[in-house]
Amino acid sequence: MGVSSGKLRPTAVLFACNLNAVRSPMAEALMKHHFGDRIFVDSVGVRAGFPDPFALAVMAEVGLNLDAHQPKSFDDLEDTSFDIVISLTPEAQHKAVELTRTEALEVEYWPTFDPTAVQGSREQMMDAYREVRDDLAKRIKERFGEEDEKARA
C-alpha cells in the first residue's frame, strides 16, 4: 500500500480550505474518483461557502459532478477521525493544526491558488479554475499514488 512519496496510503482524508466551495470540493471529488470507497474522503472550509458555478463547470469537463456538494465548515464535521488533513490555504492550515490538539492526525499544507481572485473574461476565469483542478489532480496522484485498473474493477 505504499505510494511514490514513501508514505502509506491513509484510510480517511479531509481536504480543507477557506469556504469549501472551490478548492476543497474539487480535491474531494478528484480523490473519490481515483480511490472510490477505498479511502474515506471529505472536505470542509473554515466557513461554509456557497456552491461555485465555475468549480462545477470545470469539474464537469472531466466528468465529475459537484452538484450535490453542500459546503460545510469544520464546525459541521460530525466525525474528526481522519488520518490526514490536507489544508489548501493558510487559514485552513491554522484550523487543521488546532485539530491536532485533540485528535491524533497528520496535517499537510498544499498552498493552492485561489481562482476566484482572477478577473477577466469567462474563459480566463475558467482557465484559472482548470489550472487549480489540474494541479490538485497532479498532487493527489503524487501523494497517494494511482490505483491500478484491477483495483478499480
Side-chain angles (χ1 to χ4, degrees), residues 24 33-34 36 39 74 87 99 105 107 110-111 113 119 121 125-127 132-134 146 148:
S24 56
H33 174 71
H34 289 292
I39 298 176
F74 277 92
S87 55
L99 271 182
L105 54 82
V107 176
W110 294 2
F113 175 71
Q119 301 285 318
S121 70
M125 293 172 74
M126 289 289 287
D127 284 343
V132 168
R133 176 199 65 205
D134 296 346
E146 293 192 56
D148 59 53

Side-chain angles (χ1 to χ4, degrees), residues 46-150:
V46 174
R47 294 168 304 284
F50 298 95
D52 183 291
F54 288 105
L56 274 70
V58 299
M59 294 306 282
E61 289 177 348
V62 295
L64 299 176
N65 186 337
L66 289 184
D67 289 341
H69 176 75
Q70 294 296 316
K72 60 186 172 293
S73 72
F74 277 92
D75 294 335
D76 297 325
L77 280 176
E78 293 179 16
D79 184 358
T80 57
S81 56
F82 294 93
D83 299 315
I84 184 171
V85 177
I86 298 174
S87 55
L88 307 174
T89 66
E91 199 173 354
Q93 174 70 1
H94 178 73
K95 288 292 276 189
V97 168
E98 283 180 17
L99 271 182
T100 65
R101 292 181 187 151
T102 58
E103 303 289 333
L105 54 82
E106 182 181 349
V107 176
E108 288 185 17
Y109 178 46
W110 294 2
T112 306
F113 175 71
D114 180 3
T116 65
V118 171
Q119 301 285 318
S121 70
R122 182 179 196 289
E123 195 56 32
Q124 288 170 319
M125 293 172 74
M126 289 289 287
D127 284 343
Y129 280 75
R130 288 180 189 113
E131 184 177 331
V132 168
R133 176 199 65 205
D134 296 346
D135 181 55
L136 287 168
K138 178 181 172 208
R139 289 168 100 170
I140 287 168
K141 287 178 184 176
E142 287 172 354
R143 171 60 175 87
F144 299 106
E146 293 192 56
E147 289 294 287
D148 59 53
E149 291 304 314
K150 291 178 185 173

